[in-house]
Every structure is written in structure tokens, then in C-alpha cells.
Amino acid sequence: MNKGIFAVLVLLLVGIILFYISRSTSFQFFGELVDRVDTERKVVALTFDDGPTKYATDEILRILDEKNVKATFYLMGQSIDENFPLAKSIVSSGHEIGNHSFSHSRMLLKSYRFISNEIDDTDALIRESGYVGEITFRPPYGKKLFLLPYYLKQTNRQTVMWDIATEANLGKDATTHEITEFVVNNTQPGSIILLHVMYQSRKQVMASVPEIIDQLKSEGYEFVTVSNLLSLR
Ligand SMILES: [Zn+2]
């Protein structure tokens, strides 16, 4: 085979492999990544990505309060900055806060400086909002390759993904019933459930939250925060 063609094929193959690794929910090059916790206890963590937004924060807090469930919110620095009182009310309601970057950029092909600023600035805002617990990190779009995991490992931050996500399996137009059924049928002890409720376009997801909680509770599940779940390892 011509050397030039061979080199192109190798590069293409490496590119494809790196693409799949960048979106893996269970592997990264540096540090540990958690998608669920291996346990026999019927515990599950409910996590909400993005925001806080004016559209959804009060409603999701009301639902969780009514169901007496503590969840984990992966918030964006920029949105905390824009909606600071909402971040404070998530904290004062007793929920856990995770770092979901400042601007929700894909953390690929970015400088070390860019990545560290995105993470540090967001952590600072989370602290300003009054949160005192452990802050884990969830990559925007679940994307990570070299520098992001390297920085997280250097700074002792835990990367948290998920094992249950509805969009990848059901698409964005799934009904409330389909979302509830998918989550309840696929949850197992130690699962980390990812739901997007912060946008108006995800009304069906918000509407599924009370039903998901009720059904999993009736199966004997207890809802815990991500750091509680991690402490069971
Ligand atoms: Zn996100």
C-alpha cells in the first residue's frame, strides 16, 4: 500500500477511536470517572444538568421538596452568575451542587488555561452561593479527552457521568410516559440518572420527575446525592 494512503488511514482510525473515547461514559485517560456505583443497596442519584434557569428552578425545587428528595444539580458558572438568587435557593433547599463548566463549551481542543478557568471560576461561584459540600465535575456534552481529565486529576476533582440518560435512547421528543418508563425500567442499585429539566423545550422531562420518584420509591429505592452515592464505594 502507498505510504501516504496508509498514513491517512491510520490517522482516520486514531481519530475515530479518540472520538468514541471522548464521549465514553465509563472511560477517560486520567483520573477516575464514575457512571454508577456498584452496590446492592437500592440507592439511586437523581441529577439535573444545566441552569439554573428562571423557567425551571422554582418548579423542580417544589417537586423535590414535595417528594422529600435530595438531588444533585450540575450548574453552569455563567448561569449561576446570571441567576444568582436561584443558585442560592437550590443550595438553601439542601441539594448538592456540581460543576458543569462555566460556558458549557465542548472541552476538546481547548487550552489548559481555558479549561482551568472554566472549572475554577464555576467552583468559586458555587462557593459564593453558600454551598459547602463536595463539588464533583460533569463535562458539558459528556465530552473529555486529554487536558480536561488531566486537570481534574491534578486538582483531585471527581468526574461524574451517568448510566441512565433518556435523550440518547429516546430522542428529545419522547413523551412523559416514555421517559418515566425508560428510567424506571433501566435503573438499578447505584444508578446515576441524568435528566434535563431546565429548558422549556424539556417540559415532558420535568413532568416525568414526580412519577419517576414515586415509582422508584415504590420499588424500594432511596434517593441520595452523588457524593452520598460515591461514599458507598
Ligand atoms: Zn449540559
Side-chain angles (χ1 to χ4, degrees), residues 49-50 76 100 104 140-141 196:
D49 276 18
D50 307 343
M76 291 146 58
H100 195 40
H104 211 278
Y141 309 100
H196 286 93

Side-chain angles (χ1 to χ4, degrees), residues 70-174:
K70 296 291 181 240
T72 304
F73 288 80
Y74 285 94
L75 302 180
M76 291 146 58
Q78 199 166 6
S79 306
I80 298 176
D81 204 23
E82 287 164 7
N83 300 299
F84 196 63
L86 297 179
K88 285 178 91 166
S89 51
I90 299 174
V91 174
S92 64
S93 304
H95 300 289
E96 182 165 320
I97 310 289
N99 182 326
H100 195 40
S101 85
F102 189 84
S103 64
H104 211 278
S105 305
R106 279 182 175 75
M107 297 285 194
L108 302 175
L109 307 173
K110 294 288 193 304
S111 73
Y112 194 75
R113 180 75 184 276
F114 177 87
I115 289 171
S116 62
N117 284 344
E118 283 272 325
I119 295 172
D120 294 352
D121 292 353
T122 303
D123 265 13
L125 282 159
I126 291 173
R127 292 299 180 211
E128 253 180 73
S129 67
Y131 179 71
V132 292
E134 185 188 349
I135 302 176
T136 60
F137 182 81
R138 177 172 281 166
Y141 309 100
K143 288 277 192 182
K144 68 255 156 290
L145 205 48
F146 300 115
L147 284 181
L148 173 62
Y150 182 73
Y151 183 70
L152 294 168
K153 183 171 162 49
Q154 292 302 102
T155 53
N156 287 317
R157 288 171 162 103
Q158 173 77 51
T159 314
V160 174
M161 302 289 276
W162 56 85
D163 65 329
I164 311 282
T166 58
E167 283 94 348
N169 297 279
L170 303 175
K172 286 179 180 168
D173 299 319

Side-chain angles (χ1 to χ4, degrees), residues 9 11 18 21-22 25 51 56 61 74 87 91 98 125 139 144-145 153 156 165 180 188 205 210 217:
L9 285 176
L11 279 176
L18 290 179
I21 289 176
S22 79
T25 55
L61 289 180
Y74 285 94
V91 174
L125 282 159
K144 68 255 156 290
L145 205 48
K153 183 171 162 49
N156 287 317
T180 305
Q188 51 179 324
V205 183
K217 275 185 174 173

